[in-house]
Amino acid sequence: MKKRLAVRYSKIIAASLFLLCSGVFAAENKTFVTPLFDTIAALDADVFDAFNKCSDPAQLQKHTGYFVPDVEFYHDNGGVTWSRDSMIANTKKNACGKFSREIMPGTLQVFPIKDYGAIAQGSHRFCRFDTKTCDGIAEFVMIWKNTDGAWKITRVLSYGHRAAK
């Protein structure tokens, strides 16, 4: 009797783990196959293509256009900026012509926000133009607002900055 119960419980546990894992994998894969993911991934590529070329005033202006005027930018090392103007001034002073940003392949996740837009999160690295080395990695979260098909970033978190291995 005890042996049958043990076998029955092990089958129930195995089935439960299978269903749980299947749900997790389906949720992860769903992120990568939706039109929303494709939209946000393309926007991420565009905003950081302009960032990576921001020593050119036209590219800095293009980069600026992806953010709402009252964007909040939270940076674990740099603190908080409360406006696009302050954020762009910091970008111009600290990043333009000095380093580029690259998303770490396979890390971007996108989640819808009902009646608002989307959350994008992932890992990115920073590569110095002068040494051609990528020596910094961090996590990011961006909140994208969709207003009649126009997507703008309203909040940014950049955190967990550390040396690349």
Side-chain angles (χ1 to χ4, degrees):
M1 179 76 170
K2 287 183 181 180
K3 191 173 186 178
R4 266 200 262 158
L5 280 175
V7 169
R8 177 182 257 169
Y9 284 127
S10 66
K11 287 181 180 179
I12 291 171
I13 290 169
S16 298
L17 287 172
F18 173 78
L19 290 173
L20 178 64
C21 290
S22 296
V24 168
F25 291 127
E28 286 180 351
N29 289 335
K30 183 179 177 188
T31 297
F32 293 99
V33 297
T34 66
L36 179 62
F37 177 87
D38 292 341
T39 297
I40 298 302
L43 287 164
D44 183 87
D46 290 346
V47 72
F48 284 102
D49 180 61
F51 173 88
N52 292 342
K53 300 171 184 170
C54 66
S55 57
D56 173 352
Q59 291 296 315
L60 182 60
Q61 189 61 37
K62 181 179 178 184
H63 179 70
T64 301
Y66 286 99
F67 300 90
V68 296
D70 60 344
V71 65
E72 294 177 11
F73 190 102
Y74 300 87
H75 191 283
D76 59 350
N77 295 327
V80 181
T81 56
W82 302 101
S83 72
R84 181 174 61 197
D85 291 344
S86 295
M87 184 195 73
I88 294 302
N90 286 341
T91 299
K92 188 174 181 181
K93 176 183 171 189
N94 299 315
C96 294
K98 296 178 180 142
F99 62 86
S100 64
R101 179 263 198 184
E102 298 175 359
I103 192 161
M104 301 294 289
T107 65
L108 181 63
Q109 293 184 310
V110 176
F111 305 93
I113 302 174
K114 185 180 187 300
D115 300 326
Y116 189 83
I119 299 168
Q121 70 179 45
S123 300
H124 51 198
R125 67 183 184 169
F126 301 93
C127 304
R128 298 187 60 80
F129 288 126
D130 58 354
T131 63
K132 308 277 191 265
T133 59
C134 301
D135 51 4
I137 297 175
E139 310 309 312
F140 70 90
V141 173
M142 287 188 258
I143 308 299
W144 288 87
K145 183 177 184 181
N146 182 357
T147 305
D148 300 322
W151 290 89
K152 300 279 185 176
I153 300 168
T154 62
R155 305 288 179 272
V156 178
L157 286 79
S158 186
Y159 58 95
H161 288 80
R162 60 202 178 276
K165 293 180 182 178

